[in-house]
């Protein structure tokens, strides 16, 4: 018998992202305040399908085993000892890819939530372990909200909900390789996220974080990409409280106390040729 479950996959932004050290397993110790936002993909997950496949409105999304959604589905079924002929997922993609907005991780996490809703076969702890085996950001995307993520990204501490605000998201046209950027940061200990500690303190106090330079990868990318400099300048001069790169980019964002200011910022970014979207914390 087939069963179809609908699930949303909200994008994430990194309000702060500090890279602390290189670990023996090749990953890096991180310290990142992460937040889910209203921009989302939508999934229809069909359990008991004739095969394992992703169908997406965007042809750039891999349909087969390269897709994190299928890795998550297979990992869930293996861990829960569910024998099924397959899982098919119809994916409506809205989160830009290779952006640092966690699109692939969000989709994988949404698939895990859908399977858990349908089967209820795993404890929360087992579900989080399956999520971590799929990718470093997947445990956060599984739970969402406002959290401090440490370790590889899988250790999480719930923080107070982000103060009410609007988010202007922007994606410059270039994309970056996450592993390459993590390798590059090891060679640049002088590049630090000088604003990260203050921003984390503000979030802990329930205040809207302010400032910039809260992401350690930002200086590495602004040195090479004028488009990112332009986008960050545009967001800051539109009156953002916090302006930052998200993840390893190339997307960046601004937090605004007033929605009208965020909406104006999005329009200005679009006028300059950027992909931009208005969102809210969720
Ligand atoms: O875990 P995930 O597959 O999302 O990570 C992608 C890549 O990002 C890893 O292969 C690694 O190069 C880098 N990474 C890292 N340290 C982390 C998370 C990711 O070095 N904590």
């Amino acid at each position: 018998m087939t069963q179809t479950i609908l699930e949303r996959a909200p994008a994430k932004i990194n309000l702060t992202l500090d890279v602390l050290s290189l670990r023996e397993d090749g990953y890096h110790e991180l310290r990142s305040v992460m937040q889910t936002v209203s921009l989302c993909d939508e999934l229809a997950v069909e359990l008991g399908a004739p095969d394992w496949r992703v169908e997406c409105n965007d042809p750039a999304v891999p349909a087969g085993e390269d897709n994190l959604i299928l890795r998550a589905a297979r990992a869930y079924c293996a861990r829960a000892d569910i024998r099924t002929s397959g899982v098919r997922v119809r994916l409506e993609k809205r989160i830009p890819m290779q952006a640092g907005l966690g699109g692939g991780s969000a989709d994988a996490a949404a698939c895990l939530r859908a399977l858990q809703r349908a089967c209820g076969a795993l404890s929360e702890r087992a579900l989080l372990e399956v999520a971590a085996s799929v990718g470093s950001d997947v445990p956060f995307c599984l739970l969402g909200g406002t959290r401090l993520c440490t370790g590889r990204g899988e250790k999480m501490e719930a923080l107070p909900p982000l103060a009410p605000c609007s988010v202007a998201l922007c994606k410059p046209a270039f994309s970056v390789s996450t592993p390459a950027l993590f390798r590059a940061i090891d060679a640049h200990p002088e590049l630090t996220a000088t604003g990260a500690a203050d921003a984390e303190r503000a979030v802990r106090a329930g205040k809207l974080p302010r400032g910039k330079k809260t992401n350690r990868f930002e200086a590495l990318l602004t040195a090479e990409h004028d488009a990112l400099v332009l986008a960050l300048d545009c967001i800051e001069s539109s009156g953002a409280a916090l302006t930052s790169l998200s993840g390893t980019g190339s997307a960046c964002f601004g937090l605004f106390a007033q929605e009208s200011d965020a909406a104006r910022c999005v329009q200005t970014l679009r006028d300059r040729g950027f992909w931009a979207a208005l969102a809210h914390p969720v």
Side-chain angles (χ1 to χ4, degrees), residues 168-183:
L169 298 168
C170 175
K171 166 82 173 66
F174 72 93
S175 288
V176 281
S177 148
T178 297
L181 217 55
F182 269 102
R183 277 195 299 277

mmCIF file with all atom_site columns, all heavy atoms in Angstrom, residues 168-183:
data_model
loop_
_atom_site.group_PDB
_atom_site.id
_atom_site.type_symbol
_atom_site.label_atom_id
_atom_site.label_alt_id
_atom_site.label_comp_id
_atom_site.label_asym_id
_atom_site.label_entity_id
_atom_site.label_seq_id
_atom_site.pdbx_PDB_ins_code
_atom_site.Cartn_x
_atom_site.Cartn_y
_atom_site.Cartn_z
_atom_site.occupancy
_atom_site.B_iso_or_equiv
_atom_site.pdbx_formal_charge
_atom_site.auth_seq_id
_atom_site.auth_comp_id
_atom_site.auth_asym_id
_atom_site.auth_atom_id
_atom_site.pdbx_PDB_model_num
ATOM 1   N N   . ALA A 1 168 ? 15.920 39.727 4.762   1.00 0.00 ? 168 ALA A N   1
ATOM 2   C CA  . ALA A 1 168 ? 16.137 39.877 3.321   1.00 0.00 ? 168 ALA A CA  1
ATOM 3   C C   . ALA A 1 168 ? 17.218 38.888 2.932   1.00 0.00 ? 168 ALA A C   1
ATOM 4   O O   . ALA A 1 168 ? 18.328 38.936 3.463   1.00 0.00 ? 168 ALA A O   1
ATOM 5   C CB  . ALA A 1 168 ? 16.569 41.303 2.989   1.00 0.00 ? 168 ALA A CB  1
ATOM 6   N N   . LEU A 1 169 ? 16.862 37.944 2.038   1.00 0.00 ? 169 LEU A N   1
ATOM 7   C CA  . LEU A 1 169 ? 17.817 36.939 1.565   1.00 0.00 ? 169 LEU A CA  1
ATOM 8   C C   . LEU A 1 169 ? 18.300 37.334 0.185   1.00 0.00 ? 169 LEU A C   1
ATOM 9   O O   . LEU A 1 169 ? 17.521 37.834 -0.632  1.00 0.00 ? 169 LEU A O   1
ATOM 10  C CB  . LEU A 1 169 ? 17.139 35.574 1.460   1.00 0.00 ? 169 LEU A CB  1
ATOM 11  C CG  . LEU A 1 169 ? 16.581 34.957 2.747   1.00 0.00 ? 169 LEU A CG  1
ATOM 12  C CD1 . LEU A 1 169 ? 15.700 33.760 2.414   1.00 0.00 ? 169 LEU A CD1 1
ATOM 13  C CD2 . LEU A 1 169 ? 17.713 34.543 3.675   1.00 0.00 ? 169 LEU A CD2 1
ATOM 14  N N   . CYS A 1 170 ? 19.593 37.099 -0.093  1.00 0.00 ? 170 CYS A N   1
ATOM 15  C CA  . CYS A 1 170 ? 20.144 37.460 -1.401  1.00 0.00 ? 170 CYS A CA  1
ATOM 16  C C   . CYS A 1 170 ? 21.117 36.377 -1.841  1.00 0.00 ? 170 CYS A C   1
ATOM 17  O O   . CYS A 1 170 ? 21.915 35.887 -1.041  1.00 0.00 ? 170 CYS A O   1
ATOM 18  C CB  . CYS A 1 170 ? 20.872 38.796 -1.286  1.00 0.00 ? 170 CYS A CB  1
ATOM 19  S SG  . CYS A 1 170 ? 21.724 39.257 -2.810  1.00 0.00 ? 170 CYS A SG  1
ATOM 20  N N   . LYS A 1 171 ? 21.041 35.996 -3.122  1.00 0.00 ? 171 LYS A N   1
ATOM 21  C CA  . LYS A 1 171 ? 21.991 34.991 -3.651  1.00 0.00 ? 171 LYS A CA  1
ATOM 22  C C   . LYS A 1 171 ? 22.717 35.581 -4.861  1.00 0.00 ? 171 LYS A C   1
ATOM 23  O O   . LYS A 1 171 ? 22.131 35.694 -5.934  1.00 0.00 ? 171 LYS A O   1
ATOM 24  C CB  . LYS A 1 171 ? 21.218 33.723 -4.041  1.00 0.00 ? 171 LYS A CB  1
ATOM 25  C CG  . LYS A 1 171 ? 21.979 32.723 -4.908  1.00 0.00 ? 171 LYS A CG  1
ATOM 26  C CD  . LYS A 1 171 ? 22.885 31.832 -4.117  1.00 0.00 ? 171 LYS A CD  1
ATOM 27  C CE  . LYS A 1 171 ? 23.518 30.722 -4.950  1.00 0.00 ? 171 LYS A CE  1
ATOM 28  N NZ  . LYS A 1 171 ? 24.463 31.195 -5.974  1.00 0.00 ? 171 LYS A NZ  1
ATOM 29  N N   . PRO A 1 172 ? 23.994 35.973 -4.680  1.00 0.00 ? 172 PRO A N   1
ATOM 30  C CA  . PRO A 1 172 ? 24.796 36.355 -5.848  1.00 0.00 ? 172 PRO A CA  1
ATOM 31  C C   . PRO A 1 172 ? 24.923 35.154 -6.791  1.00 0.00 ? 172 PRO A C   1
ATOM 32  O O   . PRO A 1 172 ? 24.757 34.007 -6.364  1.00 0.00 ? 172 PRO A O   1
ATOM 33  C CB  . PRO A 1 172 ? 26.153 36.737 -5.243  1.00 0.00 ? 172 PRO A CB  1
ATOM 34  C CG  . PRO A 1 172 ? 25.884 37.023 -3.798  1.00 0.00 ? 172 PRO A CG  1
ATOM 35  C CD  . PRO A 1 172 ? 24.752 36.116 -3.421  1.00 0.00 ? 172 PRO A CD  1
ATOM 36  N N   . ALA A 1 173 ? 25.237 35.408 -8.049  1.00 0.00 ? 173 ALA A N   1
ATOM 37  C CA  . ALA A 1 173 ? 25.164 34.339 -9.066  1.00 0.00 ? 173 ALA A CA  1
ATOM 38  C C   . ALA A 1 173 ? 26.250 33.275 -8.896  1.00 0.00 ? 173 ALA A C   1
ATOM 39  O O   . ALA A 1 173 ? 26.073 32.146 -9.329  1.00 0.00 ? 173 ALA A O   1
ATOM 40  C CB  . ALA A 1 173 ? 25.250 34.945 -10.460 1.00 0.00 ? 173 ALA A CB  1
ATOM 41  N N   . PHE A 1 174 ? 27.377 33.596 -8.252  1.00 0.00 ? 174 PHE A N   1
ATOM 42  C CA  . PHE A 1 174 ? 28.453 32.595 -8.159  1.00 0.00 ? 174 PHE A CA  1
ATOM 43  C C   . PHE A 1 174 ? 28.139 31.565 -7.074  1.00 0.00 ? 174 PHE A C   1
ATOM 44  O O   . PHE A 1 174 ? 27.358 31.827 -6.155  1.00 0.00 ? 174 PHE A O   1
ATOM 45  C CB  . PHE A 1 174 ? 29.803 33.276 -7.886  1.00 0.00 ? 174 PHE A CB  1
ATOM 46  C CG  . PHE A 1 174 ? 29.959 33.830 -6.496  1.00 0.00 ? 174 PHE A CG  1
ATOM 47  C CD1 . PHE A 1 174 ? 30.548 33.077 -5.487  1.00 0.00 ? 174 PHE A CD1 1
ATOM 48  C CD2 . PHE A 1 174 ? 29.531 35.119 -6.180  1.00 0.00 ? 174 PHE A CD2 1
ATOM 49  C CE1 . PHE A 1 174 ? 30.704 33.586 -4.200  1.00 0.00 ? 174 PHE A CE1 1
ATOM 50  C CE2 . PHE A 1 174 ? 29.680 35.630 -4.902  1.00 0.00 ? 174 PHE A CE2 1
ATOM 51  C CZ  . PHE A 1 174 ? 30.263 34.861 -3.915  1.00 0.00 ? 174 PHE A CZ  1
ATOM 52  N N   . SER A 1 175 ? 28.731 30.376 -7.212  1.00 0.00 ? 175 SER A N   1
ATOM 53  C CA  . SER A 1 175 ? 28.570 29.341 -6.185  1.00 0.00 ? 175 SER A CA  1
ATOM 54  C C   . SER A 1 175 ? 29.945 28.866 -5.731  1.00 0.00 ? 175 SER A C   1
ATOM 55  O O   . SER A 1 175 ? 30.926 29.014 -6.457  1.00 0.00 ? 175 SER A O   1
ATOM 56  C CB  . SER A 1 175 ? 27.784 28.154 -6.740  1.00 0.00 ? 175 SER A CB  1
ATOM 57  O OG  . SER A 1 175 ? 26.438 28.522 -6.890  1.00 0.00 ? 175 SER A OG  1
ATOM 58  N N   . VAL A 1 176 ? 29.993 28.296 -4.538  1.00 0.00 ? 176 VAL A N   1
ATOM 59  C CA  . VAL A 1 176 ? 31.283 27.862 -3.997  1.00 0.00 ? 176 VAL A CA  1
ATOM 60  C C   . VAL A 1 176 ? 31.204 26.408 -3.553  1.00 0.00 ? 176 VAL A C   1
ATOM 61  O O   . VAL A 1 176 ? 30.134 25.912 -3.233  1.00 0.00 ? 176 VAL A O   1
ATOM 62  C CB  . VAL A 1 176 ? 31.700 28.730 -2.785  1.00 0.00 ? 176 VAL A CB  1
ATOM 63  C CG1 . VAL A 1 176 ? 32.260 30.053 -3.235  1.00 0.00 ? 176 VAL A CG1 1
ATOM 64  C CG2 . VAL A 1 176 ? 30.556 28.935 -1.831  1.00 0.00 ? 176 VAL A CG2 1
ATOM 65  N N   . SER A 1 177 ? 32.353 25.751 -3.525  1.00 0.00 ? 177 SER A N   1
ATOM 66  C CA  . SER A 1 177 ? 32.415 24.377 -3.037  1.00 0.00 ? 177 SER A CA  1
ATOM 67  C C   . SER A 1 177 ? 32.667 24.416 -1.529  1.00 0.00 ? 177 SER A C   1
ATOM 68  O O   . SER A 1 177 ? 33.670 24.967 -1.072  1.00 0.00 ? 177 SER A O   1
ATOM 69  C CB  . SER A 1 177 ? 33.552 23.636 -3.750  1.00 0.00 ? 177 SER A CB  1
ATOM 70  O OG  . SER A 1 177 ? 34.107 22.668 -2.880  1.00 0.00 ? 177 SER A OG  1
ATOM 71  N N   . THR A 1 178 ? 31.745 23.814 -0.772  1.00 0.00 ? 178 THR A N   1
ATOM 72  C CA  . THR A 1 178 ? 31.881 23.817 0.693   1.00 0.00 ? 178 THR A CA  1
ATOM 73  C C   . THR A 1 178 ? 33.187 23.159 1.150   1.00 0.00 ? 178 THR A C   1
ATOM 74  O O   . THR A 1 178 ? 33.925 23.755 1.947   1.00 0.00 ? 178 THR A O   1
ATOM 75  C CB  . THR A 1 178 ? 30.652 23.146 1.335   1.00 0.00 ? 178 THR A CB  1
ATOM 76  O OG1 . THR A 1 178 ? 29.504 23.923 1.002   1.00 0.00 ? 178 THR A OG1 1
ATOM 77  C CG2 . THR A 1 178 ? 30.771 23.048 2.836   1.00 0.00 ? 178 THR A CG2 1
ATOM 78  N N   . PRO A 1 179 ? 33.532 21.936 0.683   1.00 0.00 ? 179 PRO A N   1
ATOM 79  C CA  . PRO A 1 179 ? 34.801 21.349 1.142   1.00 0.00 ? 179 PRO A CA  1
ATOM 80  C C   . PRO A 1 179 ? 36.001 22.227 0.814   1.00 0.00 ? 179 PRO A C   1
ATOM 81  O O   . PRO A 1 179 ? 36.918 22.364 1.636   1.00 0.00 ? 179 PRO A O   1
ATOM 82  C CB  . PRO A 1 179 ? 34.865 20.018 0.372   1.00 0.00 ? 179 PRO A CB  1
ATOM 83  C CG  . PRO A 1 179 ? 33.449 19.694 0.036   1.00 0.00 ? 179 PRO A CG  1
ATOM 84  C CD  . PRO A 1 179 ? 32.768 21.009 -0.184  1.00 0.00 ? 179 PRO A CD  1
ATOM 85  N N   . ALA A 1 180 ? 36.011 22.862 -0.379  1.00 0.00 ? 180 ALA A N   1
ATOM 86  C CA  . ALA A 1 180 ? 37.148 23.713 -0.756  1.00 0.00 ? 180 ALA A CA  1
ATOM 87  C C   . ALA A 1 180 ? 37.266 24.907 0.188   1.00 0.00 ? 180 ALA A C   1
ATOM 88  O O   . ALA A 1 180 ? 38.365 25.317 0.578   1.00 0.00 ? 180 ALA A O   1
ATOM 89  C CB  . ALA A 1 180 ? 36.988 24.182 -2.201  1.00 0.00 ? 180 ALA A CB  1
ATOM 90  N N   . LEU A 1 181 ? 36.127 25.457 0.565   1.00 0.00 ? 181 LEU A N   1
ATOM 91  C CA  . LEU A 1 181 ? 36.148 26.628 1.444   1.00 0.00 ? 181 LEU A CA  1
ATOM 92  C C   . LEU A 1 181 ? 36.613 26.258 2.853   1.00 0.00 ? 181 LEU A C   1
ATOM 93  O O   . LEU A 1 181 ? 37.353 27.004 3.497   1.00 0.00 ? 181 LEU A O   1
ATOM 94  C CB  . LEU A 1 181 ? 34.755 27.262 1.478   1.00 0.00 ? 181 LEU A CB  1
ATOM 95  C CG  . LEU A 1 181 ? 34.733 28.772 1.539   1.00 0.00 ? 181 LEU A CG  1
ATOM 96  C CD1 . LEU A 1 181 ? 35.524 29.382 0.393   1.00 0.00 ? 181 LEU A CD1 1
ATOM 97  C CD2 . LEU A 1 181 ? 33.317 29.286 1.525   1.00 0.00 ? 181 LEU A CD2 1
ATOM 98  N N   . PHE A 1 182 ? 36.197 25.078 3.327   1.00 0.00 ? 182 PHE A N   1
ATOM 99  C CA  . PHE A 1 182 ? 36.676 24.618 4.637   1.00 0.00 ? 182 PHE A CA  1
ATOM 100 C C   . PHE A 1 182 ? 38.196 24.401 4.590   1.00 0.00 ? 182 PHE A C   1
ATOM 101 O O   . PHE A 1 182 ? 38.900 24.719 5.548   1.00 0.00 ? 182 PHE A O   1
ATOM 102 C CB  . PHE A 1 182 ? 35.963 23.327 5.065   1.00 0.00 ? 182 PHE A CB  1
ATOM 103 C CG  . PHE A 1 182 ? 34.716 23.575 5.876   1.00 0.00 ? 182 PHE A CG  1
ATOM 104 C CD1 . PHE A 1 182 ? 33.459 23.469 5.311   1.00 0.00 ? 182 PHE A CD1 1
ATOM 105 C CD2 . PHE A 1 182 ? 34.800 23.922 7.218   1.00 0.00 ? 182 PHE A CD2 1
ATOM 106 C CE1 . PHE A 1 182 ? 32.304 23.692 6.056   1.00 0.00 ? 182 PHE A CE1 1
ATOM 107 C CE2 . PHE A 1 182 ? 33.661 24.151 7.978   1.00 0.00 ? 182 PHE A CE2 1
ATOM 108 C CZ  . PHE A 1 182 ? 32.404 24.030 7.390   1.00 0.00 ? 182 PHE A CZ  1
ATOM 109 N N   . ARG A 1 183 ? 38.708 23.872 3.446   1.00 0.00 ? 183 ARG A N   1
ATOM 110 C CA  . ARG A 1 183 ? 40.167 23.689 3.337   1.00 0.00 ? 183 ARG A CA  1
ATOM 111 C C   . ARG A 1 183 ? 40.862 25.048 3.340   1.00 0.00 ? 183 ARG A C   1
ATOM 112 O O   . ARG A 1 183 ? 41.892 25.235 3.983   1.00 0.00 ? 183 ARG A O   1
ATOM 113 C CB  . ARG A 1 183 ? 40.512 22.928 2.051   1.00 0.00 ? 183 ARG A CB  1
ATOM 114 C CG  . ARG A 1 183 ? 40.375 21.423 2.177   1.00 0.00 ? 183 ARG A CG  1
ATOM 115 C CD  . ARG A 1 183 ? 41.071 20.690 1.034   1.00 0.00 ? 183 ARG A CD  1
ATOM 116 N NE  . ARG A 1 183 ? 40.530 21.033 -0.268  1.00 0.00 ? 183 ARG A NE  1
ATOM 117 C CZ  . ARG A 1 183 ? 39.448 20.482 -0.806  1.00 0.00 ? 183 ARG A CZ  1
ATOM 118 N NH1 . ARG A 1 183 ? 38.782 19.556 -0.147  1.00 0.00 ? 183 ARG A NH1 1
ATOM 119 N NH2 . ARG A 1 183 ? 39.016 20.855 -2.004  1.00 0.00 ? 183 ARG A NH2 1
#
